[in-house]
Amino acid sequence: MRDRINLGKIIKFILVAVGIFIIGIAVFMFFRTRARAKDALREAKNIYRALYTIDVEYYAQGKTIYDHSKGDGLADGVKEDVDRLADAEGKYIVTSYNARKREVTGMQYRNGHYLVTYTKKDGHEIWTVDYSMRLYRLTDE
Protein backbone atom coordinates (compact mmCIF):
# COMPACT_ATOMS: atom_id res chain seq x y z
CA MET A 1 0.00 0.00 0.00
CA ARG A 2 2.87 2.38 0.68
CA ASP A 3 4.22 1.80 -2.82
CA ARG A 4 1.07 3.12 -4.37
CA ILE A 5 1.21 6.65 -5.77
CA ASN A 6 -1.39 8.96 -4.37
CA LEU A 7 -3.05 10.70 -7.34
CA GLY A 8 -4.35 13.55 -5.17
CA LYS A 9 -0.85 14.48 -3.97
CA ILE A 10 0.50 14.45 -7.53
CA ILE A 11 -2.26 16.76 -8.78
CA LYS A 12 -1.75 19.07 -5.80
CA PHE A 13 2.01 19.18 -6.50
CA ILE A 14 1.46 19.95 -10.19
CA LEU A 15 -1.03 22.75 -9.40
CA VAL A 16 1.33 24.33 -6.87
CA ALA A 17 4.26 24.09 -9.33
CA VAL A 18 2.22 25.67 -12.14
CA GLY A 19 1.02 28.43 -9.79
CA ILE A 20 4.57 29.24 -8.69
CA PHE A 21 5.71 29.24 -12.32
CA ILE A 22 2.97 31.69 -13.35
CA ILE A 23 3.71 33.99 -10.42
CA GLY A 24 7.42 33.86 -11.27
CA ILE A 25 6.76 34.85 -14.87
CA ALA A 26 4.53 37.74 -13.75
CA VAL A 27 7.20 39.05 -11.36
CA PHE A 28 9.89 38.72 -14.05
CA MET A 29 7.77 40.59 -16.61
CA PHE A 30 7.03 43.37 -14.10
CA PHE A 31 10.69 43.98 -13.34
CA ARG A 32 11.72 43.70 -17.00
CA THR A 33 9.07 46.23 -18.06
CA ARG A 34 10.11 48.57 -15.26
CA ALA A 35 13.81 48.34 -16.18
CA ARG A 36 13.10 49.07 -19.84
CA ALA A 37 10.90 52.02 -18.84
CA LYS A 38 13.82 53.46 -16.87
CA ASP A 39 16.07 52.99 -19.91
CA ALA A 40 13.57 54.84 -22.11
CA LEU A 41 13.35 57.67 -19.55
CA ARG A 42 17.14 57.97 -19.40
CA GLU A 43 17.36 58.13 -23.21
CA ALA A 44 14.63 60.78 -23.33
CA LYS A 45 16.45 62.88 -20.74
CA ASN A 46 19.67 62.54 -22.76
CA ILE A 47 17.82 63.85 -25.81
CA TYR A 48 16.41 66.73 -23.76
CA ARG A 49 19.91 67.66 -22.56
CA ALA A 50 21.23 67.43 -26.12
CA LEU A 51 18.41 69.70 -27.30
CA TYR A 52 19.34 72.18 -24.57
CA THR A 53 23.01 72.09 -25.59
CA ILE A 54 22.22 72.57 -29.28
CA ASP A 55 19.81 75.37 -28.39
CA VAL A 56 22.60 77.25 -26.60
CA GLU A 57 24.82 76.72 -29.64
CA TYR A 58 22.11 77.99 -32.01
CA TYR A 59 21.41 80.97 -29.72
CA ALA A 60 25.04 82.04 -30.10
CA GLN A 61 24.55 81.89 -33.88
CA GLY A 62 21.29 83.86 -33.72
CA LYS A 63 19.15 80.85 -34.74
CA THR A 64 16.55 78.71 -33.03
CA ILE A 65 16.14 74.94 -32.87
CA TYR A 66 12.35 75.03 -33.09
CA ASP A 67 10.39 75.09 -36.34
CA HIS A 68 6.65 74.71 -35.83
CA SER A 69 6.09 74.01 -39.52
CA LYS A 70 8.06 70.74 -39.39
CA GLY A 71 6.53 67.46 -38.23
CA ASP A 72 9.17 66.86 -35.58
CA GLY A 73 9.30 70.54 -34.53
CA LEU A 74 13.02 70.88 -35.27
CA ALA A 75 14.80 73.24 -37.61
CA ASP A 76 17.05 71.91 -40.37
CA GLY A 77 20.21 70.25 -39.06
CA VAL A 78 19.11 70.08 -35.43
CA LYS A 79 18.12 66.41 -35.50
CA GLU A 80 21.56 65.39 -36.81
CA ASP A 81 23.29 67.43 -34.10
CA VAL A 82 21.10 65.94 -31.36
CA ASP A 83 21.63 62.41 -32.68
CA ARG A 84 25.36 63.02 -32.57
CA LEU A 85 25.21 64.03 -28.88
CA ALA A 86 22.51 61.72 -27.54
CA ASP A 87 22.91 58.00 -28.01
CA ALA A 88 19.24 57.08 -28.36
CA GLU A 89 17.57 54.53 -30.59
CA GLY A 90 14.01 55.87 -30.61
CA LYS A 91 12.21 58.72 -32.34
CA TYR A 92 11.48 62.09 -30.78
CA ILE A 93 9.53 65.24 -31.55
CA VAL A 94 9.40 68.64 -29.92
CA THR A 95 5.77 69.46 -29.16
CA SER A 96 6.21 72.93 -27.64
CA TYR A 97 8.91 75.54 -27.27
CA ASN A 98 9.07 78.78 -25.28
CA ALA A 99 10.72 81.25 -27.67
CA ARG A 100 11.04 83.94 -25.00
CA LYS A 101 12.95 81.71 -22.57
CA ARG A 102 14.47 79.65 -25.39
CA GLU A 103 13.65 76.30 -23.87
CA VAL A 104 11.86 73.13 -24.88
CA THR A 105 8.61 72.93 -22.91
CA GLY A 106 7.25 69.74 -24.44
CA MET A 107 8.62 66.70 -26.21
CA GLN A 108 7.82 63.06 -26.86
CA TYR A 109 10.21 60.17 -27.21
CA ARG A 110 9.16 56.71 -28.42
CA ASN A 111 11.29 53.60 -28.22
CA GLY A 112 9.48 50.37 -28.94
CA HIS A 113 6.39 50.15 -26.77
CA TYR A 114 7.51 52.96 -24.46
CA LEU A 115 6.38 56.57 -24.87
CA VAL A 116 8.10 59.20 -22.74
CA THR A 117 6.37 62.57 -22.55
CA TYR A 118 8.00 65.71 -21.17
CA THR A 119 6.08 68.85 -20.29
CA LYS A 120 7.07 71.97 -18.43
CA LYS A 121 4.32 74.03 -16.85
CA ASP A 122 4.69 76.87 -14.39
CA GLY A 123 8.33 75.96 -13.79
CA HIS A 124 7.58 72.31 -12.98
CA GLU A 125 8.99 69.53 -15.13
CA ILE A 126 6.79 66.47 -15.66
CA TRP A 127 8.20 63.25 -17.13
CA THR A 128 5.69 60.50 -17.93
CA VAL A 129 6.54 57.01 -19.19
CA ASP A 130 3.73 55.00 -20.77
CA TYR A 131 3.76 51.44 -22.04
CA SER A 132 1.50 50.76 -25.00
CA MET A 133 0.58 47.71 -27.03
CA ARG A 134 -1.20 47.48 -30.32
CA LEU A 135 -4.41 45.57 -29.82
CA TYR A 136 -5.86 45.84 -33.31
CA ARG A 137 -4.59 46.80 -36.72
CA LEU A 138 -7.33 47.33 -39.25
CA THR A 139 -6.53 47.94 -42.89
CA ASP A 140 -8.61 48.16 -46.02
CA GLU A 141 -6.32 45.76 -47.89
Side-chain angles (χ1 to χ4, degrees):
M1 207 129 144
R2 288 186 172 185
D3 294 339
R4 235 182 197 178
I5 299 175
N6 189 345
L7 190 60
K9 286 184 179 181
I10 292 175
I11 292 174
K12 188 177 183 180
F13 175 77
I14 291 173
L15 288 175
V16 168
V18 168
I20 289 172
F21 180 72
I22 290 172
I23 290 171
I25 288 175
V27 169
F28 171 75
M29 293 299 291
F30 170 77
F31 283 110
R32 187 182 82 162
T33 302
R34 189 169 180 190
R36 289 184 178 175
K38 286 183 180 182
D39 290 343
L41 178 61
R42 183 182 61 238
E43 290 174 5
K45 285 185 175 185
N46 286 343
I47 288 171
Y48 177 77
R49 291 293 167 209
L51 284 167
Y52 176 80
T53 303
I54 300 300
D55 194 27
V56 170
E57 216 173 276
Y58 274 50
Y59 176 71
Q61 298 172 7
K63 299 189 282 185
T64 182
I65 64 168
Y66 186 65
D67 185 355
H68 63 84
S69 65
K70 300 277 178 101
D72 59 3
L74 298 173
D76 292 331
V78 174
K79 191 164 191 69
E80 292 79 18
D81 292 339
V82 171
D83 290 343
R84 181 177 41 86
L85 290 177
D87 186 27
E89 299 173 3
K91 297 179 181 179
Y92 55 93
I93 60 170
V94 174
T95 56
S96 62
Y97 182 81
N98 186 336
R100 187 178 317 153
K101 293 183 179 180
R102 299 192 60 91
E103 66 181 356
V104 174
T105 55
M107 71 171 260
Q108 289 184 340
Y109 172 72
R110 177 172 291 280
N111 188 357
H113 293 289
Y114 298 92
L115 174 66
V116 181
T117 306
Y118 168 77
T119 55
K120 186 169 186 176
K121 282 188 176 180
D122 302 326
H124 300 286
E125 293 184 346
I126 302 167
W127 291 91
T128 307
V129 182
D130 296 310
Y131 181 83
S132 62
M133 303 188 299
R134 178 181 298 162
L135 297 176
Y136 294 107
R137 182 171 184 226
L138 304 173
T139 64
D140 59 354
E141 296 175 359

